[in-house]
Amino acid sequence: MLAVFLKTLPFFGLIGLGWLAARTRFFPQEAAAWLTKFVFYFALSAMLFRFAAGLDLAALFDGRFVLAYLGGSLAVWLIGMAAARARRLPLAEAAMEAQCCMIGNTGFLGVPMLVVLLGDRAIGPVLMVLTIDSLVFATLITLIIHAARQNGPRLASLIPIGRGIAANPMILSMLAGLAWAQMRLPLPGPFDEFLALLGGAATPGALFAIGASLAGRRIGRLAVSAWLSGAKLVLHPLAVGLAAWALGVEPFAAGVMVAAAALPVAGNVYILAQHFGIAQQRVSAAILMSTALGIVTIPLVMLLIGQA
């Protein structure tokens, strides 16, 4: 356990450094926002393109993997929705809490950390998780919120969803990289070095930006925050792990899936909450608590995966 903890510690150390820099106001929130934009649009996109350009699309797609992750994640999403509705929350708020229960920080934390810890074989499964989260569940919550506000689903609700997907640099960079891979073209040396240099900034930049973004968050309504964090850190990896076992997913890919599911609540859930004006404080608190608890839970999950 200590060895696994020490391997993950540098990643959380960078998050802590970002938090400290922002907390002491040495690194203002405006700077954190611009750093996040740099990572999101440039560094992480370069990393994802380079990863995807080296993949075999036919080998990447695994129907059992997709079904296991979708099934386990949807089960947790429905549990989160039911728990919120049992507290008599409106549909849109319940959907936002359900989103907290199963959308992990795969882009900013999972891609950099899991590929380093688990090796290049983890690239394909991590990108599959990121794609499913971005395409399926981001679409689902947007449809639900629009339907709740318009007293029913409307075709016009699909327009902002399409725009959001088309403007998402992570999705675009992965698709572009896979298209390049399908053409079976090698990356020219200078271009490959450019992508490696720019993508190399993604890991420290993303982790520092996560920490800086946490500095302004507060934990309120402790019981709700603890439930959402527990669902994300414990229930979600358990559900996808059981689904992967039931469907016979290849062991290494299943382990990557479980590790990705064990990541803390993603910052883009807060972006959605802020955009729609729904449950911002609860989402913010869940991100802060799950990230703090992840220092302990993620090494534990990694240890269990290694022993499986």
Side-chain angles (χ1 to χ4, degrees):
M1 176 65 183
L2 179 60
V4 177
F5 175 75
L6 291 176
K7 284 185 177 180
T8 60
L9 189 59
F11 296 92
F12 287 100
L14 277 169
I15 293 175
L17 183 64
W19 178 87
L20 182 63
R23 187 68 174 171
T24 58
R25 301 185 185 280
F26 180 81
F27 200 79
Q29 285 298 312
E30 183 181 6
W34 283 109
L35 175 60
T36 300
K37 183 169 287 190
F38 163 74
V39 172
F40 188 57
Y41 283 96
F42 296 99
L44 190 57
S45 295
M47 175 185 280
L48 291 172
F49 177 89
R50 189 165 181 260
F51 283 167
L55 294 174
D56 180 354
L57 184 58
L60 171 64
F61 184 82
D62 182 345
R64 288 180 297 178
F65 182 99
V66 172
L67 286 176
Y69 184 75
L70 267 177
S73 298
L74 184 59
V76 174
W77 194 94
L78 291 173
I79 290 171
M81 172 69 83
R85 295 292 279 174
R87 297 182 359 249
R88 300 184 179 181
L89 291 181
L91 180 62
E93 288 188 35
M96 194 63 70
E97 287 198 4
Q99 202 79 349
C100 285
C101 292
M102 50 66 54
I103 295 293
N105 203 344
T106 310
F108 271 50
L109 181 58
V111 172
M113 183 172 72
L114 296 182
V115 173
V116 170
L117 293 178
L118 300 175
D120 288 348
R121 286 179 63 199
I123 293 173
V126 171
L127 293 189
M128 286 298 300
V129 167
L130 182 59
T131 301
I132 293 169
D133 283 349
S134 300
L135 295 182
V136 177
F137 290 101
T139 300
L140 175 63
I141 189 171
T142 305
L143 284 175
I144 289 175
I145 291 173
H146 278 286
R149 290 183 170 178
Q150 298 171 2
N151 297 318
R154 295 184 181 180
L155 188 60
S157 302
L158 298 175
I159 296 176
I161 296 172
R163 287 175 179 170
I165 293 172
N168 188 324
M170 290 194 293
I171 296 296
L172 293 178
S173 59
M174 284 191 292
L175 291 177
L178 290 172
W180 188 284
Q182 281 297 101
M183 292 186 291
R184 303 188 184 280
L185 297 174
L187 287 173
F191 184 47
D192 186 43
E193 291 181 13
F194 167 78
L195 292 174
L197 186 62
L198 181 56
T203 299
L207 297 176
F208 191 95
I210 290 172
S213 69
L214 295 176
R217 304 188 191 277
R218 298 290 183 275
I219 295 180
R221 302 179 67 177
L222 187 61
V224 175
S225 301
W227 152 244
L228 296 176
S229 299
K232 182 68 202 72
L233 297 174
V234 179
L235 191 58
H236 190 207
L238 180 61
V240 299
L242 288 173
W245 173 78
L247 291 172
V249 178
E250 188 272 324
F252 179 81
V256 177
M257 182 198 305
V258 172
L263 295 170
V265 181
N268 60 12
V269 181
Y270 179 76
I271 294 174
L272 276 174
Q274 192 174 43
H275 175 73
F276 289 113
I278 298 171
Q280 297 101 309
Q281 177 58 37
R282 266 168 283 161
V283 173
S284 178
I287 293 171
L288 177 58
M289 181 178 284
S290 62
T291 303
L293 293 175
I295 299 173
V296 176
T297 60
I298 290 176
L300 181 58
V301 169
M302 298 293 290
L303 178 65
L304 293 174
I305 291 171
Q307 293 178 344

